[in-house]
């Protein structure tokens, strides 16, 4: 008896021989396959053979084509992709889905604690830990040890803000302490950021001493961990933050911020002298972020557990693509072992309110379709900006609108897996009457 | 793709450096294959018979890991999938997720027509073009084939956008296909229960198909393997979009796992575009604003992480605008220059009495200002000064935009105020107000300060133009 080979083997045989076509070979008549099932009837075997038959038939078609047999004309009337004479599998081909973990993510992100309780020399009721991730946020490779946190903005003077934001704060604009209470008690802020913007010489030139009193008031008013922000004036900020750090000694505040365009050594020293954490702020440039972090550690002696990064947040539609990718690259580099980038991240999500879509009554362009009411547009702009960065690895969000805070908490904690909600049957969403 | 260096591609090219593709060398062409900026078919010799084998081999090597599926026909056809990477900085994502808005077969004809008109026309200008919606998803809420057929007929008559026919009942799907099969709609969906009947429809009408297996990736993979076995590659996968709580996290993980399997592990059987259904937000929220917000949140999550088609219900602008923008954010090609040529642009038909505005050459800034001016019929000159692609605020802070530099730009370009204008006045952006003195000293021009947002230029013009 001649040696039998499977047609599928014939195909690979041709491949190995580098044969493109065979001259003088024709296939005539009906194509028949005889399968010997070896007697007895085994449904599983029959099924597997059915599968095999289909594969063989397909190979046969391909080989016939290879041999120059006009199969396409023969089957011209049949829809493309359908294999003639082959009944499709009678049941679903069994399959098991599996996927591996990312082996390159070997380096955990630094854990950083904000706030200090009385046992640690502070007066905060609780502390929060940021960082500690071993994977991108919410990935299955490794559980995310700490949820995201939100710190809400408080300013040391009334400032211009979008109408949708302002309506929430009109009664507290004159009192940072009351403002701080409101965001914690009414709006569910985890933390408070006190922005000392009035210290800017171009605004009110408030003295560092006076600004420090405001910080003390806020620390008195609320018992959550706080962030202290300067005015952004590179000449004034170091002395303002020094005094603020002093008055908050032992509270483990986040000092915002050290950057390459001011005297970051003074900010770093203020943080280390009085037991605080430094916010290392750069502008959408991963190498600048590495440089500043390196300087803070090597040149200023800041410990790893005392650094959080702000790589800059740009609003949805206004550069969020850069901010997102910058953060994602930073986080991936950190996870893969870049010790100069493996720190928790913070986002000035409030920047979303700079987008005209967030605050303008309507589009300035006649060609645009209706933008709808801005009361709803603004908060969702802040939410989507923050949410996108949360997926890139951002840990701490600085925000303004109470509605945005509530929704961002809901989605980040859902993805984190820490929220219990009723199960919803989605199997028949198509027919839902909504 | 299965190759990652130009050398691996070069091996299969004609290596004649003929230049027919527009590149100087075959190696240069090869690098465009790797970054996907040219197509294999751009090499004419490769299409000749003698290179056929190499062409086929290259086509196989260069095929994207995630299959590309085309829905619809003609100029409105939408391609989905086709990605090769997991993070956008690695190259770029291809084929923006298609935004499909739903209609349903229990709507009255008027409601249906009006909603479809809205979907057709909704648009927002952004960086030189309009953001728009892509598809109409027709849901059978009645379960009645005749009603569905009627709705599909009305929908098809009122839009050229590709359609998704949604029902788990093959009889209903067939009724829809009888009307619009030639437009290659996407069929939603085959499940573990109906797949054989739906397979018949797919084969008979030759249309792309969604496989739906909520929360069960083994079955999803089985379905995909089974349809592949039947020779179908035009598949889209829906692993289920749970709207809240821990099941939402599981849906998120499923999207991650499927895409990782397809791209990183080359698991051919599961390497298809993914469909998300953010409208399940409406199953979990009764309040329409909450539902609309939550749908936007879900759409954003699945746009960032690997959804290729979104089925949406809300047509509130506050939902659509961020959805269109986040899609653009994630799918913008990070390799593309974000600068416009630094020069003086004419908006409308400016004359000697027209104002001269200054902005930066950051594309987003420039197009925003330009469109604000054009849309409000303001004839003017607009300098896009070279800030190396920074916006106004950053360029002023960083010194890329100074009075001297702006003044020098006008000189370099050859824009002479005494010749081109009767007013000798230039208008700086409100965010560059602090440059006023410098600019006056450097240029000898009268310098006015415009509003901080170019959307407010029309109001500003009323008070400030023409200059006294």
């Amino acid at each position: 008896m001649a040696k039998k080979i499977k047609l599928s083997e014939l195909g690979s045989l041709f491949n190995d021989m580098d044969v493109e076509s065979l001259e003088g070979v024709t296939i005539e008549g009906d194509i028949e396959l005889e399968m010997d099932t070896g007697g007895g009837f085994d449904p599983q075997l029959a099924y597997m053979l059915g599968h095999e038959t289909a594969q063989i038939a397909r190979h046969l078609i391909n080989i016939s084509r290879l041999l120059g047999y006009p199969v396409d004309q023969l089957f011209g009337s049949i829809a493309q992709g359908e294999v003639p004479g082959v009944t499709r599998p009678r049941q679903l081909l069994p399959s098991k889905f599996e996927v591996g973990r990312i082996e390159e993510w070997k380096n955990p992100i630094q854990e950083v604690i904000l706030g200090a309780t009385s046992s640690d020399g502070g007066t905060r009721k609780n502390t929060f830990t940021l960082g500690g991730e071993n994977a991108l946020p919410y990935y299955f490779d490794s559980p995310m040890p700490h949820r995201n946190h939100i710190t809400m903005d408080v300013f040391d003077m009334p400032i211009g803000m979008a109408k949708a934001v302002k309506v929430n704060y009109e009664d507290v604009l004159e009192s940072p302490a009351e403002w701080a209470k409101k965001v914690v008690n009414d709006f569910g802020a985890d933390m408070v950021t006190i922005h000392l913007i009035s210290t800017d010489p171009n605004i009110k030139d408030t003295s560092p001493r006076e600004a420090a009193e405001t910080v003390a008031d806020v620390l008195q008013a609320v018992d959550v961990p706080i962030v202290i922000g300067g005015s952004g004036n590179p000449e004034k900020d170091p002395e303002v933050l020094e005094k603020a750090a002093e008055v908050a000694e032992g509270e483990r505040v986040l000092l915002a911020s050290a950057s390459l365009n001011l005297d970051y050594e003074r900010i770093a020293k203020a943080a280390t002298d009085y037991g605080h954490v430094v916010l290392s702020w750069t502008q959408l440039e991963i190498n600048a972020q590495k440089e500043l972090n390196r300087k803070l550690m090597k040149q200023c002696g800041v410990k790893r557990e005392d650094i959080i990064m702000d790589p800059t947040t740009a609003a949805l539609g206004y550069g969020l693509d850069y901010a997102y990718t910058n953060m994602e690259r930073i986080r991936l580099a950190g996870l893969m072992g870049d010790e100069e980038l493996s720190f928790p991240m913070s986002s000035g999500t409030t920047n979303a309110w700079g987008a005209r879509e967030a605050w303008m009554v309507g589009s300035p362009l006649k060609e645009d379709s209706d933008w709808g009411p801005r009361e709803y547009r603004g908060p969702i702009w802040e939410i989507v900006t923050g949410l996108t960065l949360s997926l890139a690895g951002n840990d701490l969000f600085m925000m303004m609108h109470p509605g945005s805070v509530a929704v961002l908490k809901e989605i980040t904690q859902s993805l984190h897996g820490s929220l219990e909600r009723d199960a919803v049957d989605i199997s028949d969403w198509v027919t839902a009457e909504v | 793709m299965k190759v990652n260096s130009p050398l691996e591609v070069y091996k299969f090219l004609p290596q004649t450096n003929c230049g027919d593709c527009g590149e100087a060398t075959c190696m240069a062409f090869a690098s465009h294959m790797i970054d996907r900026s040219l197509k294999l078919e751009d090499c004419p010799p490769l299409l000749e018979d003698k290179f056929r084998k190499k062409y086929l081999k290259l086509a196989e090597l260069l095929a994207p890991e995630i299959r590309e599926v085309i829905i619809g026909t003609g100029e409105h056809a939408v391609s989905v999938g086709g990605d090769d990477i997991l993070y956008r900085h690695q190259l770029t994502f291809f084929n923006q997720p298609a935004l499909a808005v739903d209609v349903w077969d229990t709507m009255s004809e008027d409601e249906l027509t009006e909603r479809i008109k809205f979907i057709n026309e909704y648009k927002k200008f952004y960086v030189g073009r309009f953001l728009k919606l892509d598809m109409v998803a027709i849901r059978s809420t009645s379960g009645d084939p005749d009603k569905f057929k009627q709705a599909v007929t009305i929908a098809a008559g009122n839009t050229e956008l590709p359609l998704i026919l949604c029902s788990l009942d093959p009889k209903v799907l067939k009724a829809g296909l009888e009307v619009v099969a030639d437009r290659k709609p996407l069929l939603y969906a085959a499940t573990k229960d109906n797949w054989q009947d739906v397979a018949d429809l797919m084969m008979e009408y030759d249309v792309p198909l969604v496989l739906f297996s909520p929360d069960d990736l083994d079955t999803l993979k089985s379905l995909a393997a089974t349809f592949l076995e039947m020779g179908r590659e035009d598949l889209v996968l829906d692993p289920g979009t749970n709207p809240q709580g821990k099941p939402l996290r599981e849906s998120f993980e499923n999207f991650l796992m499927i895409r990782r399997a397809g791209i990183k592990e080359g698991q051919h059987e599961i390497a298809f575009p993914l469909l998300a259904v953010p409208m399940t937000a409406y199953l979990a929220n009764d309040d329409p604003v909450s539902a609309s917000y939550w749908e936007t949140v879900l759409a954003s999550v699945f746009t960032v992480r690997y959804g290729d088609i979104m089925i949406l219900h809300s047509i509130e602008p506050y939902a659509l605008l961020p959805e269109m923008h986040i899609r653009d954010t994630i799918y913008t090609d990070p390799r593309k220059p974000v600068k416009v040529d630094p020069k003086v642009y004419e908006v409308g038909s400016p004359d000697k009495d027209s104002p001269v505005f200054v902005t930066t050459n950051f594309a987003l800034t420039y197009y925003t200002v330009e469109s604000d001016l054009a849309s409000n019929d303001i004839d003017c000159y607009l300098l896009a000064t070279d800030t190396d692609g920074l916006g106004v605020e950053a360029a002023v802070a960083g010194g890329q935009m100074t009075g001297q530099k702006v003044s020098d730009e006008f000189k370099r370009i050859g824009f002479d105020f005494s010749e081109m204008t009767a007013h000798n006045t230039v208008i700086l952006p409100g965010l560059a107000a602090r440059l006023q003195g410098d600019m006056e000293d450097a240029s000898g021009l009268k310098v006015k300060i415009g509003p901080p947002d170019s959307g407010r230029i029309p109001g500003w013009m009323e008070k400030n133009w023409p200059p006294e």
Side-chain angles (χ1 to χ4, degrees), chain B residues 45-298:
Chain B
L46 198 58
L47 304 180
E48 292 166 16
D49 273 354
K50 61 177 173 176
F51 290 116
R52 179 150 185 83
K53 208 173 154 195
K54 287 183 166 171
Y55 166 79
L56 290 174
K57 182 69 186 167
L58 263 182
E60 184 194 324
L61 291 175
L62 293 168
E65 293 297 326
I66 304 301
R67 291 174 186 75
E68 199 166 39
V69 173
I70 298 169
I71 301 152
T73 54
E75 61 171 316
H76 289 280
V78 168
S79 295
V80 294
D83 279 319
D84 267 320
I85 52 158
L86 291 170
Y87 312 108
R88 65 186 286 276
H89 70 269
Q90 294 173 321
L91 184 69
T92 181
F93 290 129
F94 292 89
N95 296 326
Q96 292 202 339
L99 302 181
V101 177
D102 79 327
V103 297
W104 50 100
D105 66 359
T106 45
M107 296 176 99
S108 72
E109 179 163 357
D110 286 350
E111 286 172 330
L112 187 54
T113 312
E114 193 185 338
R115 190 168 165 96
I116 288 181
K117 185 171 150 56
F118 181 92
I119 299 166
N120 284 336
E121 293 175 1
Y122 198 81
K123 63 177 181 177
K124 179 179 189 282
F125 189 81
Y126 185 64
V127 199
R129 74 214 136 86
F130 283 98
L131 307 177
K132 303 189 77 172
L133 302 168
D134 309 289
M135 295 200 222
V136 177
I138 310 168
R139 297 188 294 128
S140 170
T141 44
S142 71
D144 176 350
D146 291 335
K147 278 215 163 114
F148 190 64
K149 189 175 215 165
Q150 202 181 353
V152 171
T153 308
I154 296 167
N158 283 284
T159 187
E160 292 180 50
L161 297 178
L163 305 172
I164 308 179
L165 305 184
C166 306
S167 172
L168 301 184
D169 181 347
K171 287 194 285 297
V172 172
L173 289 176
K174 185 173 173 62
L177 282 170
E178 283 167 359
V179 187
V180 293
D182 59 330
R183 287 176 55 165
K184 297 271 179 242
L186 178 63
L187 220 49
Y188 188 101
T191 66
K192 66 180 175 10
D193 302 317
N194 71 8
W195 67 273
Q196 283 175 314
D197 290 335
V198 176
D200 284 338
L201 295 175
M202 184 187 203
M203 295 303 192
E204 183 180 349
Y205 293 100
D206 191 22
V207 288
L209 172 69
V210 181
L211 309 176
F212 178 42
S213 172
D215 312 322
D216 180 354
L217 297 190
D218 290 343
T219 300
L220 190 63
K221 193 175 173 191
S222 279
L223 279 164
T226 306
F227 278 82
L228 270 174
E229 186 64 28
M230 293 180 235
R232 299 305 301 210
E233 303 255 346
D234 43 354
L235 304 172
V236 174
L237 309 181
D238 178 3
T241 305
N242 285 291
Q244 63 184 12
K246 287 181 176 151
L248 167 57
R249 180 188 159 89
E250 283 155 25
S251 294
F252 178 76
E253 288 182 348
N254 286 342
F255 275 70
L256 298 178
M257 289 196 274
I258 294 173
R259 191 49 51 94
R260 183 184 295 175
I263 286 181
K264 195 163 190 291
E265 301 187 358
Q267 292 189 31
H268 183 74
E269 283 173 333
I270 199 103
F272 292 98
L274 294 168
L275 179 140
V277 188
M279 78 163 276
T280 57
Y282 283 81
L283 304 178
N285 291 278
D286 293 330
D287 167 58
V289 176
S290 303
S292 192
Y293 255 55
W294 198 248
E295 179 179 87
T296 311
V297 163
L298 295 180

Side-chain angles (χ1 to χ4, degrees), chain A residues 18 88 93 97-98 100 141 317 322 325 328 356-357 366 368-370 376 415 420 429-430 432, chain B residues 53 88 122-126 139 188 200 218 222 246 249 260 265 267 293 305 338 372 375 453:
Chain A
D18 218 28
R88 70 178 60 105
L93 304 182
F97 179 84
E98 279 175 347
D141 300 82
Y322 303 106
T325 283
E328 192 170 66
R356 54 165 63 170
E357 288 81 354
K366 286 180 293 198
D368 274 3
S369 300
D370 183 17
Y376 294 137
L415 294 174
E420 294 293 343
W429 70 268
V430 169
Chain B
K53 208 173 154 195
R88 65 186 286 276
Y122 198 81
K123 63 177 181 177
K124 179 179 189 282
F125 189 81
Y126 185 64
R139 297 188 294 128
Y188 188 101
D200 284 338
D218 290 343
S222 279
K246 287 181 176 151
R249 180 188 159 89
R260 183 184 295 175
E265 301 187 358
Q267 292 189 31
Y293 255 55
R305 293 290 181 223
V338 291
D372 287 340
S375 172
D453 188 300

Side-chain angles (χ1 to χ4, degrees), chain A residues 203-229:
Chain A
I203 300 178
K204 277 193 181 171
D205 204 13
T206 304
S207 71
R209 184 162 301 279
E210 218 177 314
E213 283 169 24
T214 304
V215 172
D217 289 346
V218 170
L219 282 168
Q220 192 70 39
V222 295
D223 55 13
V224 296
I226 71 164
V227 182
I228 301 173

Side-chain angles (χ1 to χ4, degrees), chain B residues 351-363:
Chain B
D351 59 25
K352 286 193 159 198
D353 295 321
S354 303
V356 181
F357 291 98
V358 173
T359 188
T360 80
N361 75 327
F362 178 38

Side-chain angles (χ1 to χ4, degrees), chain B residues 322-381:
Chain B
E323 284 161 356
M324 295 194 299
H325 270 292
I326 189 61
R327 164 177 77 161
D328 193 84
T329 295
I330 299 302
Y331 280 73
T332 291
D333 189 340
R335 303 167 302 172
K336 261 201 223 149
V338 291
K339 298 180 258 187
V340 297
D341 285 344
K343 64 175 193 178
V344 176
Y345 292 84
E346 292 186 4
V347 181
S349 320
D351 59 25
K352 286 193 159 198
D353 295 321
S354 303
V356 181
F357 291 98
V358 173
T359 188
T360 80
N361 75 327
F362 178 38
L364 175 61
T365 308
Y366 171 78
Y367 282 115
T368 304
V369 176
E370 195 267 347
S371 59
D372 287 340
L373 293 165
S375 172
N376 288 290
D377 302 320
I378 297 170
D379 295 318
C380 61
Y381 296 101

